Amino acid sequence: MKRIAIFASGNGSNAKAIIQYFQGNKNIRIETIVCNNPKAKVIEVARELNIPCRLITRQDLYIEDDILNFLKASHIDLIVLAGFLWLIPEKLLSAFPDKIINIHPALLPKFGGKNMYGNRVHESVLNAGEKETGITIHLLNEKYDEGKIKFQKTCAIDSSDSAEDISRKVQKLEHEWYPKIIEGILTS
Ligand code: GAR
């Protein structure tokens, strides 16, 4: 059995797509969701879909070893970031080498970095006059959005598209592809 921990702190639409994709899978299961925002909608998603959700503080992640110990004790094979905006500390990176992945709502290396998330990314893409955007799934390293790219998928931007239109197109790609890429990583 391969075990996934999803780190999420937003709406949880990717977490939901991933959990639903692996429901009934005998070899891969979502062990836990780790969330840093007590108001995040992902907490409801976890409750609805019966996945344990662990709420953490900065102290838990950066100073104490509880999270690290919890992930090790849960035999986690892959940490999947799905809208988790805090930088992952070095101790987790070294405990899970090449076993932490992230999804970014644009075609890295452009439009990444600290504070580049959600609609800010799509606004920047629009302002840059890009003709296409998409998703990037990448391994994590110690810098925001700079780890090795595992997968990208593009979508066209129409001249009338708003940031919200782009967001809808990008999220559709995310929900379709993130679960499949996770499965590929865990079964290769
Ligand atoms: C996703 O679009 C993901 O690509 C983005 O946060 C969103 C979370 O949505 N991540 C980043 O921007 C990371 N820099 P969700 O909570 O509905 O899954």
Side-chain angles (χ1 to χ4, degrees):
M1 176 65 75
K2 301 279 189 184
R3 295 178 175 82
I4 295 172
I6 299 177
F7 280 41
S9 40
N11 288 332
S13 70
N14 278 283
K16 187 172 187 171
I18 295 164
I19 293 164
Q20 288 179 331
Y21 183 86
F22 289 109
Q23 259 167 0
N25 189 309
K26 292 191 177 59
N27 303 313
I28 298 174
R29 87 162 178 241
I30 315 305
E31 195 71 19
T32 185
I33 292 182
V34 173
C35 176
N36 64 24
N37 175 3
K39 295 194 180 132
K41 286 198 187 141
V42 70
I43 296 171
E44 273 168 49
V45 170
R47 199 175 301 131
E48 266 170 34
L49 298 175
N50 272 325
I51 304 291
C53 183
R54 190 175 173 123
L55 206 54
I56 59 164
T57 61
R58 283 188 182 274
Q59 168 100 3
D60 295 331
L61 186 63
Y62 296 111
I63 300 180
E64 313 290 346
D65 280 337
D66 294 25
I67 293 304
L68 181 58
N69 294 336
F70 165 68
L71 295 169
K72 281 187 185 163
S74 307
H75 305 288
I76 296 301
D77 297 286
L78 190 69
I79 297 174
V80 171
L81 307 191
F84 188 80
L85 303 179
W86 289 355
L87 202 60
I88 296 297
E90 174 55 37
K91 62 183 172 187
L92 277 195
L93 289 169
S94 51
F96 293 90
D98 290 347
K99 293 193 176 348
I100 310 181
I101 60 170
N102 181 41
I103 192 160
H104 187 76
L107 299 171
L108 293 173
K110 285 165 120 180
F111 309 110
K114 195 168 191 306
N115 296 325
M116 282 298 262
Y117 58 87
N119 262 16
R120 280 191 204 177
V121 178
H122 307 311
E123 300 279 1
S124 304
V125 167
L126 262 187
N127 291 338
E130 298 287 318
K131 298 280 178 283
E132 62 174 20
T133 185
I135 60 170
T136 303
I137 296 169
H138 64 93
L139 294 178
L140 216 71
N141 67 12
E142 65 290 346
K143 299 207 179 118
Y144 280 104
D145 302 326
E146 287 190 19
K148 183 176 177 215
I149 292 175
K150 300 288 279 182
F151 178 84
Q152 291 187 303
K153 192 86 186 171
T154 62
C155 59
I157 299 174
D158 299 327
S159 53
S160 60
D161 276 351
S162 64
E164 287 71 28
D165 294 326
I166 295 176
S167 169
R168 269 190 291 278
K169 289 182 184 178
V170 165
Q171 284 236 301
K172 193 161 177 278
L173 287 181
E174 292 187 328
H175 301 160
E176 180 181 357
W177 288 99
Y178 208 10
K180 290 180 188 160
I181 300 304
I182 292 167
E183 186 173 37
I185 289 172
L186 285 173
T187 53
S188 63

